[in-house]
């Protein structure tokens, strides 16, 4: 009977795999799953948000215009009623549901921009208004934003954004900055297909109101010409509503039957406020 | 911006954990190999029956213990593994080190007594992570090896 | 390979004592099962997924211990003991150790 202690293989208890490789593989796997869940939640958030009735949305928001501080522009107070009347005419042409009321706000924001936010509020900045070569172009802008409201795009963006913020908060473990981040999300640009749909609705509205869709594409040319000589910055409207060649082509095609001579463009009826 | 800074800090800590942790572990395993080699003559068994015919001047309790903590890389890797399930390979080396270190220390105590054998050796592992405020605590474990050291009777 | 918690195997004699052998493993269940187990805390009773986890771990630990015993040329492991410790929420280490011997 012998007592001995031969060398025992310790590697038995320690796995061979390279820890770093395994870690990266795990990380990739988990990241993929998180992304898939985030994408699903994003879509679900948008869809769910659209189910909220517009009446509820506007009662939540009330008179608040989310996403920008609305300050009255300049000294002229006859622009806003003009915009409101034009918007109402276009809304009627687009057959908006009765519960949707569009309120147009005219403000000064330092850059040419227009957007639709929750509750049927549409904001047009003085800088954009000033640049409009014709009422048709202006109507294009308004009709486009009304189309967003009609399609419930603002609240859908909020819902999708909220889902993403939730996923982000869960992953990073922080929930502090959620609320302010959510409020700003409404102003983000939409996807190409959303923009294309809004364009189509707007073109239809122009046709119904003016009899033709001329003047719509000029909007983008005019804005593109506003590129800052030094910084090269483009008006904000172009960053939230990307004007790629396809988009302009579609607008030109929509106006293909427009006869510039027999159907002259309507000029902007109220001059812009003298900005600061 | 602060998001990026946080990610940056995370990556830096991860890298430090990986490199420094790996280096420390390698060093420890080398030292363990050396110590184990030098203590080879002290035999350990977890049997209770003493070798028949052996004469011992003294039998006494000897204990070896050590507390080893994880590094940041292990922590993150274990967290990921916890999501997916399966063997947490990063902890295996930690546990192996701890156990072997505890046995080595027990043998060292026996060496000081002049013992040549340790019987009825028992091993225990206890997790030391306490509930600290905030996030999950750093994992650390205490490894303890104890047994009865047999000091041979020199007179025979 | 004979495995026993006794000092020896009845009817056989130990010819060589080969020292301590140990096997250990640390495993965790995936997050989904953890969440379900957390919910089970309200109702109480057996946490089947954790029981399964520890069974798997124990079997693996025994396998590893046996592998060490085989490497030193033993044909039995006596005085087997288990030790389980909680590593983190939902992860546990199971260690099995004993003395490798040669029986005849």
């Amino acid at each position: 009977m012998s007592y001995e202690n031969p060398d025992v293989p310790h590697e038995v208890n320690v796995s061979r795999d390279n820890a770093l490789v395994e870690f990266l593989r795990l990380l990739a796997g988990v990241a993929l799953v998180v992304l898939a869940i985030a994408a699903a939640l994003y879509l679900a958030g948008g869809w769910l948000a659209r189910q909220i009735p517009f009446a509820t949305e506007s009662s939540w928001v009330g008179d608040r215009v989310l996403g920008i501080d609305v300050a009255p522009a300049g000294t002229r107070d006859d622009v806003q009623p003009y915009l409101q009347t034009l918007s109402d005419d276009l809304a009627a042409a687009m057959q908006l549901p009765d519960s949707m009321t569009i309120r147009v706000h005219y403000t000064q924001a330092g850059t040419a921009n227009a957007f639709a936010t929750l509750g049927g509020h549409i904001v047009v900045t003085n800088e954009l208004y000033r640049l409009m070569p014709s009422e048709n172009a202006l109507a294009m802008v308004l009709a486009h934003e009304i189309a967003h409201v009609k399609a419930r795009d603002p609240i859908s963006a909020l819902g999708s954004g909220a889902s993403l913020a939730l996923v982000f908060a869960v992953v990073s473990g922080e929930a502090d900055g959620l609320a302010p981040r959510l409020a700003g999300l409404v102003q983000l640009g939409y996807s190409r297909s959303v923009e294309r749909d809004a364009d189509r609705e707007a073109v239809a509205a122009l046709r119904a109101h003016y009899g033709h869709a001329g003047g719509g594409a000029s909007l983008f040319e005019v804005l593109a010409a506003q590129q800052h000589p030094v910084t090269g910055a483009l008006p904000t409207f172009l960053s939230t509503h990307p004007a790629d060649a396809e988009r302009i082509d579609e607008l030109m095609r929509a106006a293909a039957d427009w006869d510039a001579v027999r159907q002259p463009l309507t000029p902007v009826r109220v001059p812009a406020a003298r900005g600061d | 911006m602060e998001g990026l800074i946080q990610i940056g800090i995370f990556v830096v800590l991860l890298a430090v954990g990986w490199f420094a942790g790996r280096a420390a572990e390698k060093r420890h395993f080398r030292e363990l190999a050396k110590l184990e080699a030098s203590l080879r003559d002290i035999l350990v068994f977890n049997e209770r029956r003493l070798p028949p015919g052996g004469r011992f001047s003294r039998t006494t309790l000897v204990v070896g213990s050590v507390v080893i903590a994880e590094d940041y890389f292990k922590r993150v890797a274990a967290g990921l593994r916890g999501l997916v399930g399966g063997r947490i390979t990063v902890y295996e080396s930690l546990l192996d080190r701890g156990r072997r270190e505890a046995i080595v220390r027990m043998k060292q105590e026996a060496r000081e007594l002049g013992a040549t054998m340790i019987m009825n050796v028992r091993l225990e592992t206890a997790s030391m992570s306490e509930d600290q405020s905030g996030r999950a605590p750093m994992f650390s474990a205490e490894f303890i090896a104890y047994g009865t050291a047999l000091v041979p009777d020199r007179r025979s | 390979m004979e495995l026993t918690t006794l000092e020896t195997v009845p009817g056989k004699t130990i010819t060589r004592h080969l020292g301590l052998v140990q096997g250990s493993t640390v495993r965790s269940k995936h997050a989904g099962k953890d969440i379900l187990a957390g919910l089970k805390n309200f109702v109480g009773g057996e946490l089947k997924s954790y029981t399964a986890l520890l069974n798997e771990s124990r079997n693996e630990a025994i396998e590893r211990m046996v592998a060490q015993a085989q490497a030193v040329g033993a044909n039995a492991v006596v005085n087997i003991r288990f030790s389980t410790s909680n590593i983190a929420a939902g992860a546990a280490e199971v260690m099995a150790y004993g003395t490798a011997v040669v029986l005849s």
Side-chain angles (χ1 to χ4, degrees), chain C residues 20-31:
Chain C
L20 211 55
V21 286
Q22 0 141 345
S24 89
T25 181
V26 49
R27 279 171 170 262
S28 119
K29 267 282 180 235
H30 66 74

Side-chain angles (χ1 to χ4, degrees), chain C residues 17-101:
Chain C
H17 302 255
L18 296 171
L20 211 55
V21 286
Q22 0 141 345
S24 89
T25 181
V26 49
R27 279 171 170 262
S28 119
K29 267 282 180 235
H30 66 74
K33 294 263 165 76
D34 282 344
I35 295 174
L36 286 175
L39 291 176
K40 194 98 191 274
N41 270 332
F42 292 110
V43 180
E46 183 187 2
L47 295 173
K48 294 229 167 67
S49 58
Y50 285 167
T51 306
L53 169 72
L54 289 171
N55 274 336
E56 281 164 31
S57 305
R58 212 169 6 253
N59 288 332
E60 186 164 4
I62 294 176
E63 266 171 41
R64 289 181 166 184
M65 179 184 70
V66 164
Q68 279 200 346
Q70 278 169 342
V72 296
N75 63 4
V77 184
V78 299
N79 253 323
I80 296 178
R81 302 281 176 260
F82 289 107
S83 160
T84 308
S85 63
N86 180 37
I87 298 294
E93 182 225 7
V94 178
M95 173 171 57
Y97 63 99
T99 303
V101 297

Side-chain angles (χ1 to χ4, degrees), chain B residues 56-72:
Chain B
F56 304 103
S57 66
R58 199 171 159 210
T59 64
T60 181
L61 172 71
V62 286
V63 180
S65 82
V66 66
V67 177
I68 302 198
E70 63 181 351
D71 56 63
Y72 197 71

Side-chain angles (χ1 to χ4, degrees), chain A residues 1-15, chain C residues 14-20 22-24 64 67-68 71-72:
Chain A
M1 156 134 45
S2 68
Y3 285 76
E4 44 194 301
N5 263 180
D7 263 339
V8 179
H10 294 289
E11 316 77 68
V12 165
N13 284 323
V14 181
S15 295
Chain C
I14 301 177
T15 55
R16 293 170 68 199
H17 302 255
L18 296 171
L20 211 55
Q22 0 141 345
S24 89
R64 289 181 166 184
Q68 279 200 346
V72 296

Side-chain angles (χ1 to χ4, degrees), chain A residues 82-195:
Chain A
Y82 168 53
L83 284 173
Q84 186 68 56
T85 316
L86 183 55
S87 153
D88 292 341
D89 290 342
L90 290 167
M94 290 167 85
Q95 291 158 337
L96 240 52
D98 287 332
S99 56
M100 278 190 195
T101 41
I102 307 287
R103 268 172 292 180
V104 182
H105 302 268
Y106 179 55
T107 184
Q108 191 107 283
T111 178
N113 197 7
F115 60 90
T117 178
L118 299 174
H121 296 277
I122 293 179
V123 177
V124 175
T125 67
N126 179 35
E127 290 78 357
L128 184 107
Y129 183 79
R130 221 179 328 168
L131 294 170
M132 292 297 101
S134 62
E135 192 185 84
N136 303 67
L138 179 63
M140 178 77 200
V141 171
L142 285 175
H144 179 96
E145 300 307 329
I146 296 172
H148 276 317
V149 175
K150 186 176 174 196
R152 309 294 305 288
D153 291 335
I155 199 171
S156 170
L158 184 67
S160 310
S163 295
L164 275 189
L166 184 70
V167 169
F168 188 74
V170 166
V171 164
S172 69
E174 282 170 35
D176 289 341
L178 267 186
R181 243 181 263 159
L182 288 185
L185 284 171
V186 190
Q187 261 234 47
L188 290 180
Y190 297 109
S191 69
R192 280 218 174 97
S193 58
V194 169
E195 287 293 300

Side-chain angles (χ1 to χ4, degrees), chain A residues 21-73:
Chain A
V21 166
E22 194 189 323
F23 172 70
L24 289 173
R25 246 191 296 138
L26 269 181
L27 193 62
V30 170
L32 260 148
V33 170
V34 168
L35 280 173
I37 294 178
L41 281 178
Y42 182 86
L43 293 171
W47 182 86
L48 274 173
R50 281 208 169 91
Q51 310 313 304
I52 300 173
F54 186 80
T56 315
E57 178 187 329
S58 51
S59 68
W60 276 350
V61 169
D63 288 334
R64 284 171 299 167
V65 180
L66 298 174
I68 199 171
D69 286 325
V70 180

